[in-house]
Amino acid sequence: MNGQTNGQEVIVEVKNLKKHFPIYRGVLRRQVGAVQAVDGVSFNVYKGETLGLVGESGCGKSTTGRTILQLLEPTGGEVYFQGKELTGLGKGELRRARRHMQMIFQDPYASLNPRMSVGSIIGEPLQIHNIGDSQSRKERIQELLRLVGLNPYFINRYPHEFSGGQRQRIGIARALATNPSFIVADEPISALDVSIQAQVVNLLDDLRAELGLTYLFIAHDLSMVRYISDRVAVMYLGRIVELSDRVAVFEKPLHPYTQALLSAIPIPDPDKEAKRKRLILEGDVPSPANPPKACRFHPRCPYATEVCREVDPEFRDLGTAGRLHWVACHHAEKFL
């Protein structure tokens, strides 16, 4: 169940998406299990919004983004982009659809070919999709460089000549080359210096307003997610456990995992930091190759009861006053 209908236009619809990576062992390479990186994820992304996707490292955030764009073939489920189902498309149809869906990668150095000039890197999507001639492509590349705050004369330089923040701007320019409507930003600031992170986030927000973009913004920095996102989805061990608008998630979280994430955000005021109640999780994150039965969070949850160990919690709406607030927790009502 997607469960986020609010009358807005849906640009991406994800239904029960799964991505399992097989585990092989032995001389004959027999499959003995699977890493359940994404296991039954459902949500909508509305046109013009930024949906933040947060969670601990290894929870399946990046795999979700790559599977939505079909960079990884899903194990199960459906992905609709502007009403068209992507998982059943042939290579030609999928290539045409990808013109309108792009990705900004986490590492701005590893995602740029060091042997290609900036002009070739940004212009490659234009060539792949046969957009324009050589002169119009050059003009488009220079326009994109200006748009992301770089000098258009950098067109003949190479990635190693730029700082991390500049390289990420080149990656953003490449993602914008085909004039997409939906962009998956996969932790686009995590590899950057703190002083540069805010600049890149502000650039992304400005581009969204100027170009009418829609983002799936994947990150583990909750402060940045709170700044840029309209809604926030919280992911744990391959599943979404909470989803609502930014204010509801940050001010009144209904899932203990979300509460623990928020309590880990440092507060600049030492007096407030000393007084606030911390929710510290015990134990390690279970292996996605062998996740706990029923509620996957119950081994680390301070509120877990017998029902949490036996029954998988339903992803349900507990919002009030017309505000949708979806949560997968048996005891969420106690936090209302």
Side-chain angles (χ1 to χ4, degrees), residues 184-196:
V184 174
D186 182 15
E187 302 201 36
I189 60 172
S190 64
L192 305 179
D193 292 340
V194 175
S195 59
I196 305 299

Side-chain angles (χ1 to χ4, degrees), residues 165-205:
Q166 289 174 322
R167 285 197 289 264
Q168 192 60 290
R169 289 172 186 265
I170 294 168
I172 293 170
R174 177 179 58 184
L176 296 174
T178 58
N179 197 25
S181 53
F182 175 63
I183 292 178
V184 174
D186 182 15
E187 302 201 36
I189 60 172
S190 64
L192 305 179
D193 292 340
V194 175
S195 59
I196 305 299
Q197 290 180 357
Q199 296 178 20
V200 173
V201 167
N202 285 330
L203 172 63
L204 291 172
D205 208 27

